C-alpha cells in the first residue's frame, strides 16, 4: 500500500498491534527525509485512512475468511470459478472442439482462427524474412483471412466442394465479406444447413488441407492443381468418416447420389 513510506520508515519490524497503538507508525516515518515527496504524502494519507478504519480485537485469534463465498467459507466450487476471472467467452467449443476432427487439425484450427499461424503477414510483423505474397495465388499479401477465404485458388476449391457435396453454404458466391477469419468462420459454421456438425468438420478439413498445400509450396516447392487438391480432400473425408466422423458421412452420401 505504501512502499515509499516503508522505505523511509525508521522501524520496519513493528507488529501491527504495536504500529497502530497510539499511531506509533506515524512517528516511525522520517518526515524530514530528503526524498520525501508528494508521492510519500499521498501514501501517508492512504495509510492513515486505512489505519483509522482498523479495529484490532485483542485476545481474539485471527481467522481466515474466504472472500469468494457469501458465508466466507472456502469451497472447491468457488475456487474453480475463480480460475476464470478475467476470461472471455468464445464459440471455439462449438465450432472447433466439438466437431469430429483429428486433434492436430483441431489444434491447428484453434491457432488459425486467432491469426496465430505463421502466414507471411505474421512473419513480417516479427521482422522475419519471407515472401509477402500468398503462396497459392501469388497475387496478394498472405494473411489467414485471404488464404482461406479470398484467394482465387482456395475459392475455386470451395466452389468445387460445394457442387460435390450439394451444400450451397460453402460456395464463396454465398459469402459476405468479413474483416477477420473468426467472423467468417463463425458465419459459415452457423449457416442454415441441416447437417451443421458435418459442415463444421468439413470446414476444419478443408482449411487443414489448404494449409498443407500452402506449406508444400513454400517448403518443398511442390504444388497441386485445384482438381487434385479437391480429390485429396474427398479421400481424406472418407478416411475421417471411417475413423468416426459420422456427421461428415452425410455429405459423402449426398455426393454419391449426385
Amino acid at each position: 500500500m505504501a512502499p515509499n513510506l516503508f522505505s523511509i520508515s525508521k522501524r520496519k519490524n513493528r507488529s501491527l498491534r504495536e504500529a497502530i497503538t497510539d499511531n506509533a507508525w506515524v512517528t516511525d516515518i522520517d518526515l524530514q527525509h530528503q526524498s520525501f515527496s508528494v508521492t510519500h504524502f499521498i501514501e501517508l494519507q492512504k495509510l492513515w485512512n486505512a489505519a483509522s478504519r482498523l479495529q484490532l480485537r485483542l485476545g481474539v485469534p485471527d481467522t481466515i475468511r474466504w472472500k469468494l463465498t457469501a458465508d466466507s467459507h472456502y469451497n472447491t466450487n468457488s475456487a474453480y470459478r475463480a480460475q476464470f476471472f478475467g476470461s472471455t467467452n468464445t464459440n471455439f467449443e462449438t465450432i472447433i472442439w466439438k466437431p469430429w476432427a483429428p486433434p492436430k487439425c483441431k489444434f491447428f484450427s484453434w491457432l488459425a482462427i486467432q491469426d496465430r499461424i505463421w502466414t507471411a503477414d505474421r512473419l513480417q510483423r516479427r521482422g522475419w524474412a519471407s515472401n509477402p505474397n500468398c503462396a497459392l495465388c501469388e497475387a496478394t499479401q498472405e494473411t489467414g483471412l485471404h488464404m482461406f477465404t479470398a484467394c482465387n485458388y482456395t475459392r475455386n476449391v470451395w466452389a468445387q466442394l460445394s457442387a460435390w457435396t450439394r451444400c450451397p453454404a460453402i460456395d464463396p458466391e454465398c459469402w459476405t465479406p468479413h474483416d477477420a477469419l473468426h467472423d467468417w468462420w463463425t458465419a459459415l459454421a452457423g449457416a442454415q444447413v441441416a447437417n451443421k456438425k458435418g459442415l463444421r468438420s468439413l470446414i476444419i478439413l478443408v482449411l487443414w488441407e489448404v494449409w498443407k498445400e500452402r506449406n508444400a509450396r513454400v517448403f518443398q516447392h511442390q504444388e497441386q492443381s485445384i482438381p487434385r487438391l479437391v480429390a485429396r480432400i474427398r479421400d481424406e473425408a472418407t478416411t475421417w468418416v471411417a475413423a468416426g466422423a459420422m456427421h461428415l458421412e452425410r455429405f459423402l452420401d449426398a455426393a454419391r447420389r449426385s
Side-chain angles (χ1 to χ4, degrees), residues 8-9 19 24 38 47 55 69 75 84 89-90 96 101 105 116-117 122 150 167 180-181 185 197 203 209 211 243 255:
I8 63 172
S9 175
V38 174
L47 197 56
Q55 295 180 353
T69 56
N75 61 55
F84 300 97
N89 293 326
T90 70
I96 293 177
C105 300
R116 291 174 61 188
I117 55 175
R122 190 165 184 238
C167 181
L181 185 62
W185 202 321
K197 291 183 178 179
I203 294 171
E209 291 297 334
W211 179 244

Side-chain angles (χ1 to χ4, degrees), residues 63-77:
T63 59
I64 297 176
R65 300 175 64 84
W66 184 250
K67 293 183 178 181
L68 303 180
T69 56
D71 60 5
S72 300
H73 294 303
Y74 169 85
N75 61 55
T76 55
N77 185 36

